[in-house]
Amino acid sequence: SFGPIPPLTIESIGYGAGDLDFDEQGNILRLIVGVAADAAQHGDTVLLLETNLDDVTGEVVGYCVERLLQAGALDVFSTAIQMKKGRPATKLSVLCRPSDQSVMQALLFSETGTLGIRRSLQERCTLERRSVEVATEWGAVTGKVAQWPDGSVDFSPEYESCKTVATRHGVPLRVVLE
């Protein structure tokens, strides 16, 4: 069968040609030898939407970012770029599920007034992760625990949860994050 190569570390690739000639296709074989990707790593396909904005204020970009995240974007980021004739501009990038394409595009068009959006599907590899709640001296803080391929784990606190605790108790945010 034909299809994408599964996640693996390629060790070698070999090619060979057969003796028979076929009208419909070549008589060629490619063999890929490798080791399957670590079970702790998962993958999926995301959609990357990008547009260059040279006539939009920073406030409009910020508002658009908020709306995209509220609508379910996986991530949104902006990059300072320079366009033709030296014009400063912002490249706005949105990562989302492919099923959310129409919602995200509609927001980009309506909020920025852009005339075009580039689209590309991206394969990504992610670590296994789960949401957890940890006790602190100021109360519970939520975060994510990621499992690394070697079995070790790492905790990352959620900003909004830490912000709420810091505000409620008058503690510096950096202290709660630690």
Side-chain angles (χ1 to χ4, degrees):
S1 67
F2 298 92
I5 298 172
L8 57 86
T9 301
I10 296 175
E11 294 179 340
S12 61
I13 300 175
Y15 296 91
D19 291 333
L20 298 176
D21 290 329
F22 299 110
D23 293 333
E24 314 82 48
Q25 65 190 35
N27 189 2
I28 297 175
L29 173 71
R30 177 174 67 163
L31 178 67
I32 299 173
V33 177
V35 177
D38 193 305
Q41 295 178 350
H42 303 344
D44 63 352
T45 301
V46 294
L47 180 65
L48 173 63
L49 302 174
E50 291 185 319
T51 187
N52 295 348
L53 307 169
D54 65 351
D55 58 353
V56 177
T57 67
E59 292 86 357
V60 169
V61 171
Y63 181 74
C64 183
V65 168
E66 288 177 25
R67 296 277 321 271
L68 290 161
L69 290 169
Q70 289 169 353
L74 301 171
D75 200 2
V76 183
F77 51 96
S78 61
T79 308
I81 60 173
Q82 188 171 6
M83 295 179 60
K84 63 184 173 189
K85 299 180 184 175
R87 290 193 317 266
T90 301
K91 177 170 69 172
L92 191 58
S93 303
V94 181
L95 285 176
C96 65
R97 291 172 194 82
S99 60
D100 292 337
Q101 175 179 326
S102 60
V103 171
M104 299 300 155
Q105 285 183 165
L107 280 169
L108 283 170
F109 281 125
S110 66
E111 294 296 340
T112 67
T114 187
L115 301 177
I117 300 168
R118 295 178 301 281
R119 302 180 299 225
S120 61
L121 289 174
Q122 306 276 309
E123 297 293 325
R124 70 175 180 169
C125 179
T126 59
L127 294 176
E128 185 176 327
R129 57 191 158 209
R130 66 186 186 284
S131 293
V132 297
E133 188 174 271
V134 296
T136 72
E137 60 186 276
W138 308 284
V141 171
T142 58
K144 289 210 174 30
V145 171
Q147 180 153 354
W148 294 91
D150 67 3
S152 62
V153 295
D154 189 27
F155 174 74
S156 295
E158 294 288 346
Y159 166 75
E160 289 296 334
S161 180
C162 291
K163 177 182 163 186
T164 300
V165 168
T167 302
R168 184 180 312 130
H169 295 281
V171 180
L173 177 63
R174 64 179 177 74
V175 173
V176 176
L177 285 167
E178 289 173 5

